[in-house]
Amino acid sequence: MSTRIVIAGLAAARGMALGRARLEQPSQPVIDRRPLAEGEVEGEAIRLTIALATARDELRQLRTKLHGALAREVGEFIDAHSLILEDPELTSGLYDLVRKGRYRASAALQMQRDRLAAAFDALDDPYLRSRREDIDHVIGRVQAVLMRDTTPAERQIASRVGEILVSDTIAPAELAHLTEHGVLGVITTGGSALSHSAILARSMRLPMVVGAHDALKRLGDDDLVLVDGSHGEVIVHPTAQDLARYRQFQRDQTRSTEALLRLKHARTLTTDGSEIQLYANAEMSADIVQARAFGALGVGLYRTEFLFLQRRELPDEEEQFNAYREVVLGMGGLPVTIRTLDLGADKIDSTGVAMSREPNPALGVRGIRLSMANPAMFETQLRAILRAASFGRVRILVPMVTTCEEVVAARRLIDDCARRLRSSGHEITDHFEFGAMIEVPAAAIALPSMIRHLDFVAIGTNDLTQYTLAVDRGNDALSTLYDPLHPAVLKLLAQTIATVQRSKKTVTLCGEMAGEPRYTALLLALGLTSFSMHPSSLLEVRQAIARCDRAALRRQGAGLLRAQTRVGIERIVKRMNK
Ligand code: PEP
Ligand code: MG
């Protein structure tokens, strides 16, 4: 019987998942540095051979599970890793270390890793240099095989359920493919609940715990593990009571889903009859299907950066046009807000366009700044969006705006692109709306002078909170400081909503707050009437709105803005949520 272990982390994506642990890149493999006795050498060489063969075999199996576009994208990585494992330079070096140097397999692997990493670090080509990570993944995989130490009985139960990925960190692009790999939950030792990966996990309904610092040390491959993404807890070797709690969670889940599904085609009304607009945030085609199914009034935020991730070349105009047109057609005439590229900060691509080596990427060449610095790339995207706009109602949204000049320049570029497209024979509508994300405090403060250049505004509270409070949204050490209920954030929100509404334009909030039912009443109190969220939150927010009296909440808005402390604000929000 294995002993139950509880590892505390931060709740990043709600829900529970039971599965067997799959360790990615064990950050600290147990390295046995005692030299081998002469009689142990051949046995250790055999252990190494078995570990290498197992790792190769696992990659092969993983490859066969992939289908369609996944097989192409993820398959490339797997092939690259398999090639590294076959590389005689790596393997013969390992056997030399074991046979001649009397190193144990784990120590030999570590030495080879360090040697190869140093060779990669010396390369000039940044892409090749970044491939050093592949070496780490491959060596980590073999180390994990060597370290595997679970009872056969447990392995038998575990083989019946899917996998829980355990890793140091996880990039949004990697996460996007996980569920199709049979991954049921994710645990990371670092990261924050506000990272793009966590946002994506929530949108995929993939339970996730981040900042579980000890997870890689205390978990082994194939350990049976229960991820509690609602409480930020990881339970290794769960007991019968834990499993009963998990089954209860599954039953509750089914029941609340049934209740929510009854709201699918309902209007979004407060108790006093105000109609509230609910839009969907989208990244992939599944989001569009869900947005339609749950009655979204359109797409309030289509993040285009996911087209640019995990690839070496930029997507060309045709590829982008096809992707955007698919979304526009998928929404069947409802408005689609396409945000231009927001690469940079934690959304780093491998095409080399975003400056991943900036000293301070969150304050660096990100969003509209990056697009303006790469006019050819920006124009390609704008042309693709404008062409897609002929197939439905498109609104163009630019991210990370700081100045009026950026807004004016972006608008001019769009008009130029439209003119050039028209003169080359394309039917381009002149009925597209142009908007800016308000997510930099300077833009929120300067909005009264910027608004005349805009048709609509989208508030990005994820970044607005990060930049107002000077708290990195991806840093788990600061997770308690990252607080969208900070009085300064609430003031900027109220001010932005009021400025846009005064000018009779539309304002939608599309940060994570919009999809959190516990913030619904608060946002209505601040005057918000248009929300955009991952489609999986639409029904819950509609249900929360149906419990709110908008007029009564509006009367409490001023008190909310007068509150000086977090405790004071929380007290008011609690009252509103009763
Ligand atoms: C935001 O910042 O709130 C937002 C919606 O954009 P992203 O999370 O993509 O930065
Ligand atoms: Mg943002």
Side-chain angles (χ1 to χ4, degrees):
M1 229 343 240
S2 316
T3 326
R4 177 181 191 265
I5 305 170
V6 179
I7 304 171
L10 301 167
R14 274 182 291 163
M16 287 178 117
L18 177 70
R20 66 198 143 100
R22 169 71 55 226
L23 270 57
E24 282 272 312
Q25 301 163 258
S27 51
Q28 279 162 330
V30 181
I31 308 226
D32 190 347
R33 298 195 188 276
R34 291 167 302 141
L36 292 163
E38 193 170 341
E40 290 176 318
V41 170
E42 273 322 299
E44 192 67 0
I46 292 170
R47 244 185 110 225
L48 178 62
T49 308
I50 294 172
L52 287 168
T54 310
R56 268 187 223 118
D57 203 44
E58 284 176 357
L59 282 176
R60 233 186 331 266
Q61 282 181 24
L62 199 59
R63 187 81 168 89
T64 58
K65 281 194 220 158
L66 302 174
H67 307 285
L70 262 190
R72 182 167 46 78
E73 288 174 36
V74 185
E76 259 178 44
F77 281 86
I78 296 180
D79 291 343
H81 289 189
S82 306
L83 280 177
I84 296 172
L85 270 177
E86 311 278 349
D87 185 351
E89 188 145 348
L90 173 82
T91 46
S92 66
L94 284 173
Y95 286 109
D96 280 352
L97 285 167
V98 173
R99 293 208 170 96
K100 297 186 192 146
R102 301 274 170 94
Y103 287 99
R104 284 166 203 272
S106 58
L109 277 163
Q110 188 62 20
M111 285 185 74
Q112 275 294 70
R113 183 227 156 259
D114 293 346
R115 268 188 207 167
L116 292 169
F120 270 83
D121 281 345
L123 293 174
D124 278 340
D125 182 331
Y127 176 75
L128 285 178
R129 219 169 30 220
S130 74
R131 294 300 89 205
R132 166 201 148 146
E133 259 177 46
D134 290 331
I135 302 283
D136 283 339
H137 278 126
V138 170
I139 302 262
R141 191 171 269 281
V142 186
Q143 295 279 29
V145 176
L146 284 169
M147 275 168 45
R148 244 169 243 174
D149 193 15
T150 42
T151 63
E154 190 174 81
R155 208 170 296 153
Q156 205 196 356
I157 310 173
S159 66
R160 286 204 292 267
V161 286
E163 290 182 344
I164 305 289
L165 184 83
V166 191
S167 166
D168 296 9
T169 55
I170 183 146
E174 270 177 89
L175 197 64
H177 302 295
L178 286 182
T179 42
E180 303 188 37
H181 280 187
V183 168
L184 302 173
V186 175
I187 303 165
T188 64
T189 54
S192 106
L194 262 300
S195 67
H196 283 102
S197 299
I199 293 177
L200 199 58
R202 286 195 282 278
S203 77
M204 294 162 73
R205 301 233 149 197
L206 188 66
M208 183 178 190
V209 171
V210 299
H213 299 290
D214 288 343
L216 280 167
K217 273 186 249 151
R218 305 187 65 184
L219 271 160
D221 256 331
D222 283 340
D223 277 350
L224 193 63
V225 98
L226 184 62
V227 180
D228 184 343
S230 309
H231 298 100
E233 224 175 51
V234 173
I235 299 160
V236 194
H237 310 302
T239 59
Q241 282 101 314
D242 293 319
L243 295 178
R245 189 158 67 89
Y246 171 63
R247 278 195 297 277
Q248 185 57 44
F249 160 81
Q250 287 182 308
R251 279 194 292 273
D252 292 349
Q253 188 77 356
T254 316
R255 212 167 306 131
S256 62
T257 308
E258 280 165 7
L260 282 174
L261 285 176
R262 285 195 280 278
L263 294 176
K264 255 177 24 177
H265 304 293
R267 286 169 67 198
T268 309
L269 292 172
T270 58
T271 52
D272 54 336
S274 292
E275 178 125 34
I276 304 298
Q277 268 82 47
L278 296 191
Y279 292 90
N281 290 353
E283 275 137 34
M284 4 182 174
S285 42
D287 298 335
I288 301 298
V289 176
Q290 208 178 17
R292 293 291 303 269
F294 293 169
L297 295 179
V299 171
L301 171 67
Y302 176 64
R303 290 182 166 103
T304 55
E305 40 285 359
F306 288 89
L307 271 174
F308 289 69
L309 297 172
Q310 215 166 24
R311 55 190 297 160
R312 292 183 69 175
E313 278 139 28
L314 293 170
D316 64 14
E317 184 179 319
E318 249 2 78
E319 181 179 348
Q320 292 190 55
F321 163 65
N322 285 326
Y324 306 150
R325 187 181 54 177
E326 199 178 309
V327 177
V328 173
L329 289 176
M331 288 310 290
L334 295 173
V336 174
T337 313
I338 302 184
R339 183 174 74 183
T340 63
L341 190 59
D342 187 19
L343 278 186
D346 63 333
K347 288 180 274 194
I348 291 301
D349 66 337
S350 45
T351 60
V353 63
M355 301 168 69
S356 56
R357 282 171 205 281
E358 280 183 294
N360 202 344
L363 301 183
V365 188
R366 174 186 170 186
I368 188 69
R369 303 170 186 179
L370 184 74
S371 294
M372 287 301 197
N374 292 273
M377 178 191 78
F378 195 23
E379 281 174 34
T380 304
Q381 177 167 46
L382 292 175
R383 286 170 61 90
I385 298 175
L386 286 166
R387 284 174 55 201
S390 313
F391 295 82
R393 269 183 70 194
V394 167
R395 313 165 100 200
I396 303 180
L397 177 65
V398 287
M400 274 298 285
V401 160
T402 313
T403 67
C404 236
E405 287 79 358
E406 282 168 336
V407 169
V408 173
R411 172 96 223 198
R412 190 174 304 135
L413 204 60
I414 296 171
D415 289 336
D416 286 350
C417 284
R419 231 185 335 271
R420 280 201 298 274
L421 279 167
R422 275 187 211 108
S423 59
S424 61
H426 288 280
E427 285 280 332
I428 301 295
T429 166
D430 40 28
H431 291 303
F432 63 85
E433 290 171 69
F434 170 72
M437 293 278 296
I438 297 301
E439 49 188 347
V440 173
I445 295 165
L447 190 59
S449 58
M450 205 183 272
I451 190 74
R452 68 196 167 95
H453 303 290
L454 301 167
D455 301 315
F456 70 96
V457 159
I459 308 179
T461 38
N462 305 339
D463 280 315
L464 189 61
T465 306
Q466 140 160 293
Y467 294 123
T468 304
L469 304 180
V471 172
D472 179 353
R473 66 197 254 184
N475 184 341
D476 67 328
L478 298 172
S479 57
T480 50
L481 265 185
Y482 184 100
D483 179 14
L485 297 197
H486 188 289
V489 179
L490 294 189
K491 281 197 177 69
L492 284 179
L493 274 180
Q495 205 175 300
T496 304
I497 295 167
T499 303
V500 186
Q501 288 174 345
R502 258 198 312 273
S503 58
K504 307 266 180 289
K505 298 184 176 173
T506 54
V507 54
T508 302
L509 193 149
C510 60
E512 287 303 285
M513 269 186 110
E516 289 275 354
R518 69 196 149 116
Y519 294 142
T520 304
L522 164 121
L523 293 173
L524 290 173
L526 295 180
L528 192 75
T529 55
S530 176
F531 297 62
S532 189
M533 65 205 71
H534 189 272
S536 59
S537 302
L538 283 165
L539 300 181
E540 276 173 274
V541 173
R542 184 170 293 146
Q543 194 177 47
I545 289 172
R547 286 196 283 259
C548 291
D549 177 337
R550 179 161 185 267
L553 286 170
R554 287 296 281 140
R555 285 194 292 277
Q556 296 178 61
L560 195 59
L561 293 175
R562 272 196 308 272
Q564 310 272 326
T565 59
R566 162 83 203 206
V567 178
I569 290 172
E570 257 179 5
R571 203 175 304 127
I572 300 175
V573 173
K574 215 171 185 173
R575 237 186 359 247
M576 289 175 170
N577 285 341
K578 263 202 190 131

